[in-house]
Amino acid sequence: MPSEFFNTSEVLEAILETIDEGIHVIDPKGQTIFYNGVAANHDGMKRNEVLGKPLLEAFPSLNHKSSTLLRVIKSEKPIYNYSQSYVNAHGRIIETLNTTLPIYVDGFMIGAIEIAKDYSSLKQLSERLADLESSLKTIKSPERKTTGNGGLYSFTEILTSDTGFKGLISQGKKAARSTSSVLVYGESGVGKELFVQSIHQESSRSKEPFIAQNCAALPESLLESLLFGTAKGSYTGAVERQGLFELANGGTLFLDELQSMPIDLQAKLLRVLEDGFIRRIGGTKSVQVNVRIMAAMNIDPKKAVSENRLRPDLFYRLNVLSYELPPLRERIDDIELLSEHFISIFNSKLGLSIKGMDKKTKDFFRQYHWPGNVRELKHTIEFMMNHTENDVLNLEDLPQFLKKRNLSEKILPLREAMLEMETKLINEALLQTNGNVFQASKLLQIPRQTLQYKIKKHI
């Protein structure tokens, strides 16, 4: 094997990529110098959105106090097993369990490294188990048979001035009079759960349980036992426990991110939809349940079918009542309406008296793409209201990553623009080759030594 494959830095990066934990390294200035694929997956980010960028630009909801990496840079002291919760640049809530350590070379601190475990699934599981216990206790009461989460939304709480969305609400109200299954799809953050909660609240099942489960949150075996329940002795330590189908009996079971449910489990779901019977894991007796299934997906179901992520027969069974919720960028007039609503909410929560936004900010909001949709808009307003020094929100209050997108930015000088494009292409090549400099140089069609020089100089 050629000696060039044994470049020390490349070998080190390859080792860090094989570790089944998120690895994030920053330099003393807070700029990311290494970020492996596992970390990107945990954070819901693309590597090129983080690599080579200041930490607070990539994760605008963090600050010097809440970021474990930046705290270690400042204190030069390690932080062990710290639970961190934050919002990524796309408006998604991320929860990790971190160990963060300073890095020293020849007695000098050259940066900090964070080893992160995905805490979201474990937390959701523990919360779900707590919900199950609560539901079991509540269902025993003959007076009230709800899940105890009395804060369900209704159609009156869906704010929109968009004609198309108003039409969907009208259709949703008609769906509430039906007993057929419901499929709602659209991008993350458009309000799919809010929509299905509203259908449930408008229906004759409104006084019965509404139980939600994210199909992407748990491994197949745990998800199956959670849905169908367990029989005593079905595995070591197993006890008789009702699953979500039994707990939702008479009401609604909402399955979010349905395309993440394993195909074999989708077949079992289809059987329940067809005959209304479930059998606990390890059990021999079938139990009839009266549950209305509502499901949501963040991709087009036809695409999910073509990618073998959704069974065609399950799709046809669910597609009787299906609704595509439009992204926020297609509901331009709703942006200001929702912004004013969130300002009002956070004025109350934070004890503020913000009067609104100035015209430039309103114009920017209307032109911005909003990839995280309503959820991103809400988090952006919350960020701005926590940082503003004025009684009217303006462009200076925006998170850093949005300031960069401000449409009023001047055109870059040609030399600076070319350097920015070169850096972007190098990062893309490194991303596609998992950080392999030799392979990246082939993609870029330049000598490996030239690429190494450019990486050292610009990245």
Side-chain angles (χ1 to χ4, degrees), residues 277-325:
F277 284 89
I278 63 103
R279 182 182 296 173
R280 294 183 186 177
I281 306 301
T284 57
K285 184 176 70 172
S286 293
V287 178
Q288 188 170 22
V289 290
N290 173 22
V291 177
R292 187 179 192 184
I293 299 295
M294 298 193 196
M297 301 174 61
N298 54 23
I299 64 172
D300 190 304
K302 291 180 181 178
K303 180 181 180 184
V305 170
S306 68
E307 294 176 351
N308 296 316
R309 299 169 66 184
L310 180 67
R311 290 177 62 100
D313 46 7
L314 180 58
F315 166 60
Y316 297 132
R317 182 65 178 77
L318 290 171
N319 200 40
V320 178
L321 295 173
S322 65
Y323 307 97
E324 181 181 9
L325 302 191

Side-chain angles (χ1 to χ4, degrees), residues 382-437:
E382 183 176 9
F383 176 93
M384 295 172 74
M385 291 183 67
N386 272 289
H387 289 79
T388 189
E389 299 292 336
N390 307 300
D391 58 0
V392 174
L393 300 179
N394 59 56
L395 294 175
E396 287 303 309
D397 301 319
L398 288 171
Q400 188 62 35
F401 82 102
L402 280 181
K403 286 182 182 178
K404 291 267 184 182
R405 296 173 181 262
N406 191 335
L407 299 180
S408 64
E409 281 186 343
K410 64 180 181 180
I411 296 176
L412 291 175
L414 182 59
R415 184 185 297 274
E416 190 175 337
M418 291 175 66
L419 176 59
E420 185 176 295
M421 178 58 70
E422 181 178 83
T423 303
K424 181 180 178 182
L425 290 172
I426 291 173
N427 278 324
E428 285 287 347
L430 290 171
L431 181 64
Q432 288 185 35
T433 59
N434 290 319
N436 188 304
V437 176

Side-chain angles (χ1 to χ4, degrees), residues 4 437 441 446-455:
E4 62 189 13
V437 176
S441 67
I446 60 175
R448 181 172 61 85
Q449 293 84 355
T450 302
L451 178 56
Q452 286 179 322
Y453 168 78
K454 290 179 178 295
I455 291 172

Side-chain angles (χ1 to χ4, degrees), residues 142-356:
E143 296 86 14
R144 186 169 180 267
K145 196 178 180 184
T146 69
T147 52
N149 59 355
L152 296 183
Y153 287 95
S154 65
F155 283 118
T156 58
E157 295 170 89
I158 300 180
L159 301 180
T160 183
S161 59
D162 181 78
T163 304
F165 204 10
K166 285 181 177 179
L168 283 174
I169 292 172
S170 177
Q171 292 176 36
K173 289 179 178 179
K174 292 177 182 177
R177 302 197 293 264
S178 171
T179 58
S180 299
S181 302
V182 171
L183 177 62
V184 179
Y185 61 99
E187 296 176 8
S188 295
V190 294
K192 296 185 291 293
E193 183 165 357
L194 186 154
F195 192 80
V196 298
Q197 283 185 13
S198 299
I199 294 175
H200 171 83
Q201 288 289 75
E202 192 95 358
S203 75
S204 60
R205 297 173 181 257
S206 61
K207 294 182 180 178
E208 303 298 324
F210 177 93
I211 295 179
Q213 174 60 43
N214 189 310
C215 297
L218 300 172
E220 180 175 1
S221 58
L222 285 176
L223 181 58
E224 183 176 6
S225 62
L226 188 62
L227 289 172
F228 294 95
T230 55
K232 187 175 181 180
S234 57
Y235 56 86
T236 302
V239 297
E240 290 287 342
R241 173 174 283 134
Q242 290 181 307
L244 298 186
F245 277 105
E246 290 179 78
L247 290 173
N249 194 30
T252 300
L253 178 58
F254 171 52
L255 300 174
D256 198 7
E257 296 194 55
L258 181 66
Q259 77 281 357
S260 298
M261 179 182 285
I263 292 294
D264 290 343
L265 196 49
Q266 289 183 26
K268 296 182 180 181
L269 171 62
L270 180 62
R271 283 199 294 272
V272 178
L273 286 168
E274 294 290 355
D275 61 26
F277 284 89
I278 63 103
R279 182 182 296 173
R280 294 183 186 177
I281 306 301
T284 57
K285 184 176 70 172
S286 293
V287 178
Q288 188 170 22
V289 290
N290 173 22
V291 177
R292 187 179 192 184
I293 299 295
M294 298 193 196
M297 301 174 61
N298 54 23
I299 64 172
D300 190 304
K302 291 180 181 178
K303 180 181 180 184
V305 170
S306 68
E307 294 176 351
N308 296 316
R309 299 169 66 184
L310 180 67
R311 290 177 62 100
D313 46 7
L314 180 58
F315 166 60
Y316 297 132
R317 182 65 178 77
L318 290 171
N319 200 40
V320 178
L321 295 173
S322 65
Y323 307 97
E324 181 181 9
L325 302 191
L328 185 57
R329 62 183 171 275
E330 293 179 8
R331 300 157 45 196
I332 298 297
D333 291 337
D334 281 353
I335 294 174
E336 187 172 342
L337 175 69
L338 290 167
S339 296
E340 291 172 353
H341 173 65
F342 293 139
I343 288 172
S344 176
I345 287 176
F346 291 117
N347 269 335
S348 178
K349 282 187 177 182
L350 303 174
L352 301 173
S353 55
I354 304 299
K355 296 175 182 177

